[in-house]
Amino acid sequence: MSWTCRWFAIALLLCLHGQGARAEEARAWVEKNLPDLVKLYRDLHKAPELSFHEEQTGKRLAEELRLLGIPVTEKVGGFGVVGMLENGKGPTLMLRTDTDALPVVEQTGLVYASNVKAKDDDDQEVGVMHACGHDIHMTNLIGVAQYLASHKDRWSGTVMFVCQPAEERGSGAKAMLDDGLFTRFPKPDFAVALHVDSTLGTGKIGIREGYTLANVDSVDVTMRGRGGHGAYPQTTIDPIVLAARLVLDLQTVVSREVSPTDPAVITIGSIHGGTKHNVIGDECHLQITLRSYKPEVRDLLIEAVTRKALAIAQGAKAPEPVIKVSEGTPAMFNDEELTSRLLPVFQKALGEENVTTTEPSMGGEDFSRYGLAGVPILMFRLGAVDPQRLAGFARLKQEPPSLHSTLFYPDAEATLVTGITATTAAVLDLLPKQP
């Protein structure tokens, strides 16, 4: 071995040793400060707010960042918050958390369970719950901010803390970008986020490069007919029959129009029509979700739904259906170079056995939009359920409550220790201390 290779090997070992020592230091800091972090988590869990209504949540996060001396800008893209922690020369790293909750009535039985009720955008009263772990995400971000603000001798550069509204609507990232997130503030060199995983044990994280989450599109189709008496169907055009034809016709799109090697999903989530046994109505409304990875497959699915709905109406001499495509979220692509760089960092911080390779999912995440805006991004999965709890579900041959379930809750203490340790390790690697 040449001297150059030997020195490189020694330097690499010293670097990895240093990463391990810093990770242990960060973990010790998290464990020491865990009671206050858990209190923050529970406060956030008890006070959830719906998408684009996160006013008090935004104020709380802004307050937590200001307590650390971080300059904060509020109401970016709605109730979004941006904090800029500068610490000398170096790259800019964006850390993002989502802040909104879901219209779900909590049934966990926790002493800090949400009892919040609110009016949704249709003016209907709904229960509100952090059923997707955004309360963990927010606490994780504040914990990392606290560590970095108190350990400025460990890193150099700028950390951009982004508290984003309306992830559940798939439109909060777009709202912040449209409000000048990357023009009013420095465009970051990297962006990192995490998301809790209800099937992964605490202490573990999951990571994958490339496509990890899907394009998500919502399509509303209203099949229109001509109403009348159920005893005289020959005088009507039955929109429920037309909707039933559409449900069946859509089943062949993925199996016969999409390549078997390209992931795609068409799900009819709701169908509503009619008012009474013997009345044929004028309309039947379908709500459809489309999932894909490739842009061309995304376009094909939307076109196929439109084409088949129009063809069914024409074949029945019915009025043209009303078709609306909304709430689109682009597929999320984890930057290969950034993923490859941080994989050994996570392995050193948590142990190789605690860093798994996740499978691609047909779920969606608007964190993807920051990648499409030209920033290398990485979102990793954070184990959120105690392994003993997972083992108990397995013994009972039950699936653990999924995200968005009224029964989902993370084991917060262990989840936060792992999340803050992993995120801090990523920051210290991407923003190394400048000589």
Side-chain angles (χ1 to χ4, degrees):
M1 180 185 290
S2 69
W3 279 109
T4 302
C5 291
R6 287 177 182 174
W7 279 115
F8 177 78
I10 293 169
L12 180 60
L13 288 171
L14 289 172
C15 177
L16 291 174
H17 176 75
Q19 289 174 353
R22 291 194 297 269
E24 285 300 318
E25 179 187 60
R27 179 183 290 272
W29 180 92
V30 177
E31 291 173 349
K32 178 181 177 182
N33 291 274
L34 195 56
D36 289 339
L37 291 167
V38 171
K39 182 182 183 303
L40 172 61
Y41 160 73
R42 293 186 176 190
D43 287 347
L44 293 168
H45 185 86
K46 289 188 292 186
E49 294 177 294
L50 295 173
S51 302
F52 286 124
H53 296 273
E54 311 92 336
E55 182 175 8
Q56 296 306 315
T57 303
K59 287 182 178 179
R60 176 64 186 272
L61 295 173
E63 177 187 345
E64 293 290 337
L65 292 172
R66 286 196 179 102
L67 286 173
L68 303 173
I70 299 174
V72 172
T73 303
E74 298 183 64
K75 296 184 179 179
V76 180
F79 294 112
V81 173
V82 179
M84 302 297 297
L85 177 58
E86 298 181 356
N87 188 31
K89 295 181 179 180
T92 297
L93 168 62
M94 171 178 146
L95 298 179
R96 174 269 209 173
T97 180
D98 30 21
T99 63
D100 54 332
L102 288 157
V104 172
V105 178
E106 182 164 356
Q107 297 179 14
T108 62
L110 297 169
V111 293
Y112 53 89
S114 167
N115 295 310
V116 172
K117 295 188 182 299
K119 293 290 185 70
D120 64 13
D121 290 343
D122 296 324
D123 204 35
Q124 301 295 312
E125 187 176 79
V126 295
V128 188
M129 175 189 176
H130 274 300
C132 199
H134 295 186
D135 42 3
I136 286 285
H137 303 171
M138 290 184 278
T139 308
N140 187 87
L141 181 134
I142 296 301
V144 173
Q146 291 173 351
Y147 178 85
L148 295 176
S150 60
H151 292 77
K152 288 188 175 181
D153 59 326
R154 305 293 195 272
W155 61 282
S156 295
T158 300
V159 182
M160 179 181 187
F161 297 98
V162 172
C163 307
Q164 178 209 300
E167 184 277 327
E168 297 293 355
R169 294 275 292 273
S171 48
K174 183 177 187 301
M176 293 194 80
L177 288 167
D178 289 347
D179 200 15
L181 181 64
F182 291 165
T183 54
R184 295 165 58 186
F185 309 94
K187 187 174 182 179
D189 299 287
F190 319 95
V192 174
L194 53 73
H195 202 295
V196 297
D197 190 320
S198 63
T199 65
L200 194 61
T202 52
K204 297 182 179 293
I205 67 168
I207 187 171
R208 184 183 189 86
E209 67 178 28
Y211 282 121
T212 59
L213 293 166
N215 297 305
V216 179
D217 294 291
S218 297
V219 184
D220 286 79
V221 178
T222 302
M223 301 302 295
R224 300 192 295 163
R226 184 171 64 240
H229 200 296
Y232 315 116
Q234 74 278 8
T235 66
T236 72
I237 300 175
D238 192 338
I240 293 179
V241 173
L242 304 185
R245 288 178 184 167
L246 180 59
V247 170
L248 293 177
D249 281 1
L250 291 179
Q251 305 310 306
T252 63
V253 173
V254 174
S255 65
R256 291 297 177 268
E257 297 190 36
V258 177
S259 169
T261 59
D262 289 331
V265 173
I266 297 179
T267 295
I268 296 90
S270 117
I271 179 168
H272 295 280
T275 57
K276 196 175 185 295
H277 302 72
N278 61 349
V279 175
I280 294 174
D282 291 317
E283 296 182 344
C284 187
H285 181 215
L286 302 95
Q287 292 179 298
I288 304 167
T289 186
L290 309 179
R291 309 288 172 124
S292 58
Y293 283 139
K294 293 182 178 178
E296 57 268 30
V297 176
R298 184 184 199 181
D299 293 341
L300 184 154
L301 296 181
I302 295 172
E303 185 275 334
V305 172
T306 303
R307 167 169 39 88
K308 288 184 178 292
L310 291 171
I312 289 168
Q314 186 176 20
K317 297 182 179 179
E320 188 171 290
V322 178
I323 302 169
K324 181 182 178 183
V325 181
S326 60
E327 296 186 8
T329 299
M332 194 179 74
F333 190 90
N334 277 339
D335 182 79
E336 295 105 323
E337 185 176 344
L338 180 58
T339 305
S340 296
R341 175 173 176 175
L342 290 182
L343 175 59
V345 174
F346 291 141
Q347 290 173 330
K348 192 66 179 178
L350 304 175
E352 290 189 25
E353 70 280 6
N354 292 318
V355 181
T356 66
T357 301
T358 57
E359 293 296 319
S361 167
M362 298 308 283
E365 240 289 353
D366 68 355
F367 185 64
S368 57
R369 293 190 183 276
Y370 304 117
L372 292 177
V375 177
I377 65 170
L378 169 65
M379 172 176 281
F380 63 91
R381 311 296 289 187
L382 175 63
V385 182
D386 186 279
Q388 292 186 351
R389 258 213 300 155
L390 290 176
F393 287 119
R395 283 194 301 271
L396 296 172
K397 298 182 178 180
Q398 295 178 354
E399 294 293 327
S402 68
L403 301 181
H404 293 209
S405 165
T406 61
L407 300 173
F408 169 74
Y409 68 92
D411 291 294
E413 289 85 350
T415 303
L416 288 170
V417 170
T418 303
I420 296 172
T421 300
T423 308
T424 301
V427 175
L428 297 182
D429 181 81
L430 294 171
L431 304 181
K433 184 66 180 176
Q434 298 296 315

